[in-house]
């Protein structure tokens, strides 16, 4: 498929990003000028809080440069990029969606691992269901939410469940980790497998149960400048900033692990 045709296919994604930016719904935006103009970053949903903070810090350090975010499941973002949605930077929550973009020739250079993340079991405050470990998720009557297997948090959940020989039937499969976490926050499920960072961000509304098996499914997060970036200088500057000491401190504070 030609780049022109892919761009037409991606019109809906582009309009969505632009509308969200205009409303301030996905992070800092607006403005022009500076070395990068408005840098558009497609980032995994689990990076929402950290990247929103990093985006503000980057703008403060680079007057005249704005950052507009599109947060969603990494697989959905990879599809949008490969269909021609104009973006400058892609930050994925696992190698597989990043590989999709690089194999399509849409990455400028080699993606870099910048953080890692690990699963926990999110439960209601006080853990009323008494979930103590992974095997408890298979208890009869316990309602569990998982991410869909095509997205990184779902693939990680499948790896740990298979490795531990735990069989369960989730009541819902969500398209990103924030969706799975919301089911716990709203009381619609008893537990969900989510990233440690997302549970920490929602600590006022959920509790996190650590489990040993999660060490076998740690996700590498990768970031890259995109080949057809509308603002390549700003894109390279943003990627460099994400890997700088101030941004690493933000990410570590959110619970991400160093690569």
């Amino acid at each position: 498929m030609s780049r022109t045709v892919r761009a037409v296919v991606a019109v809906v994604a582009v309009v969505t990003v632009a509308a969200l930016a205009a409303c301030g719904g996905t992070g800092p935006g607006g403005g022009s000028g500076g070395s990068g103009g408005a840098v558009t970053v497609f980032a995994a949903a689990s990076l929402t809080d950290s990247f929103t903070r990093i985006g503000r810090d980057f703008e403060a350090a680079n007057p005249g440069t704005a950052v507009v975010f599109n947060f969603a499941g990494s697989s959905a973002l990879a599809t949008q990029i490969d269909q021609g949605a104009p973006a400058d930077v892609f930050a994925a929550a696992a190698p597989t969606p990043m590989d999709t973009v690089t194999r399509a020739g849409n990455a400028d250079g080699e993606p870099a691992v910048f953080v890692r993340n690990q699963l926990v079991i999110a439960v209601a405050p006080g853990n009323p269901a008494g979930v103590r470990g992974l095997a408890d998720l298979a208890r009869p009557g316990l309602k569990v939410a998982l991410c869909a297997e095509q997205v990184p948090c779902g693939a990680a959940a499948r790896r740990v469940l298979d490795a531990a020989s735990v069989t369960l039937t989730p009541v819902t499969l969500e398209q990103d980790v924030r969706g799975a976490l919301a089911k716990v926050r709203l009381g619609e499920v008893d537990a969900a497998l989510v990233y440690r960072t997302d549970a920490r961000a929602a600590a006022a509304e959920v509790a996190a149960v650590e489990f040993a098996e999660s060490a076998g499914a740690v996700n590498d997060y990768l970031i890259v400048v995109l080949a057809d970036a509308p603002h390549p200088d700003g894109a390279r500057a943003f990627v460099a900033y994400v890997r700088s000491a101030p941004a690493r401190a933000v990410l570590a504070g959110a619970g991400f692990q160093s690569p």
Side-chain angles (χ1 to χ4, degrees):
M1 185 185 294
S2 72
R3 192 67 179 170
T4 300
V5 172
R6 291 200 304 269
V8 172
V9 174
V11 165
V12 173
V14 176
V15 170
T16 300
V17 174
L20 289 170
C23 296
T26 58
S32 60
S35 61
V39 179
T40 301
V41 178
F42 280 31
S46 51
L47 290 165
T48 300
D49 299 307
S50 298
F51 264 31
T52 298
R53 165 70 184 278
I54 288 170
R56 287 197 299 264
D57 293 345
F58 177 77
E59 289 179 329
N62 296 270
T65 299
V67 184
V68 176
F69 289 111
N70 179 21
F71 294 113
S74 297
S75 299
L77 294 174
T79 298
Q80 291 176 24
I81 291 166
D82 288 344
Q83 288 179 343
D88 297 294
V89 175
F90 180 38
T96 299
M98 182 62 78
D99 288 345
T100 300
V101 170
T102 57
R103 284 198 304 269
N106 292 325
D108 181 8
E110 190 71 20
V113 176
F114 66 102
V115 286
R116 293 190 168 111
N117 212 347
Q118 201 162 330
L119 295 178
V120 298
I121 303 168
V123 296
N127 194 6
V131 175
R132 305 300 176 193
L134 194 64
D136 288 337
L137 298 184
R139 289 201 323 243
L142 196 77
K143 293 183 288 186
V144 179
L146 298 178
C147 296
E149 288 187 36
Q150 68 266 26
V151 298
C153 60
R158 177 47 51 199
R159 291 200 302 275
V160 297
L161 290 167
D162 288 349
S165 298
V166 174
T167 302
L168 62 88
T169 302
V171 297
T172 181
L173 292 171
E174 298 297 315
Q175 292 306 306
D176 61 53
V177 69
R178 291 299 173 99
L181 186 65
K183 295 298 182 179
V184 179
R185 291 172 52 241
L186 295 171
E188 296 179 9
V189 300
D190 300 304
L193 282 173
V194 303
Y195 291 125
R196 179 183 290 161
T197 54
D198 292 280
R200 181 177 294 191
E205 300 173 275
V206 303
V209 177
E210 300 276 351
F211 60 100
E213 296 91 342
S214 68
V218 177
N219 275 16
D220 286 344
Y221 282 54
L222 300 98
I223 191 166
V224 73
V225 175
L226 294 171
D228 291 338
H231 303 95
D233 291 341
R236 284 188 284 271
F238 181 80
V239 170
Y241 187 81
V242 167
R243 303 181 70 190
S244 71
R248 289 201 308 270
V250 171
L251 291 160
F256 287 99
Q257 303 165 24
S258 298

